[in-house]
Amino acid sequence: MTTRRYTLADLKGTEWPFELDIVLFNQISEYKPIGPHCHLRILPVFRALRRRVPDITVAAVWERLAVFYDLEALVSVSRMRVGQKGFK
């Protein structure tokens, strides 16, 4: 089975091909790009997507994640500790 390759132009807008979203979600479930090292943890996600979209950028990966998640809220939650006000 061959893997379809895309260009960055194919990814404009909020709709990505479903197989790329699957790659994205598989990778973020393993590498969880939040917390103080989020910019390092995004790199394996980026590399996995780059196999299918050679000209993809890290910024494009973050933009896609922002479609599904409130990234600022995730940063806030990742900074909270158990017992801290606002943590449930």
Side-chain angles (χ1 to χ4, degrees):
M1 181 177 184
T2 60
T3 303
R4 173 145 187 235
R5 294 177 68 95
Y6 298 91
T7 66
L8 191 56
D10 295 330
L11 308 182
K12 294 299 179 196
T14 58
E15 294 299 320
W16 276 24
F18 73 93
E19 59 266 24
L20 294 180
D21 281 337
I22 291 170
V23 171
L24 177 70
F25 287 119
N26 283 335
Q27 292 295 308
I28 66 170
S29 70
E30 185 172 345
Y31 294 103
K32 297 172 186 60
I34 62 169
H37 303 291
C38 64
H39 295 289
L40 293 175
R41 292 181 182 157
I42 199 72
L43 294 177
V45 178
F46 166 71
R47 284 189 212 111
L49 287 166
R50 191 174 60 183
R51 285 186 213 115
R52 290 169 177 83
V53 188
D55 58 342
I56 197 166
T57 63
V58 173
V61 177
W62 283 116
E63 287 171 15
R64 186 60 179 169
L65 286 173
V67 168
F68 297 107
Y69 300 101
D70 181 347
L71 298 177
E72 288 185 30
L74 287 174
V75 168
S76 298
V77 169
S78 73
R79 290 182 180 156
M80 289 185 181
R81 300 197 190 290
V82 175
Q84 189 176 16
K85 190 175 184 174
F87 188 87
K88 294 183 180 185

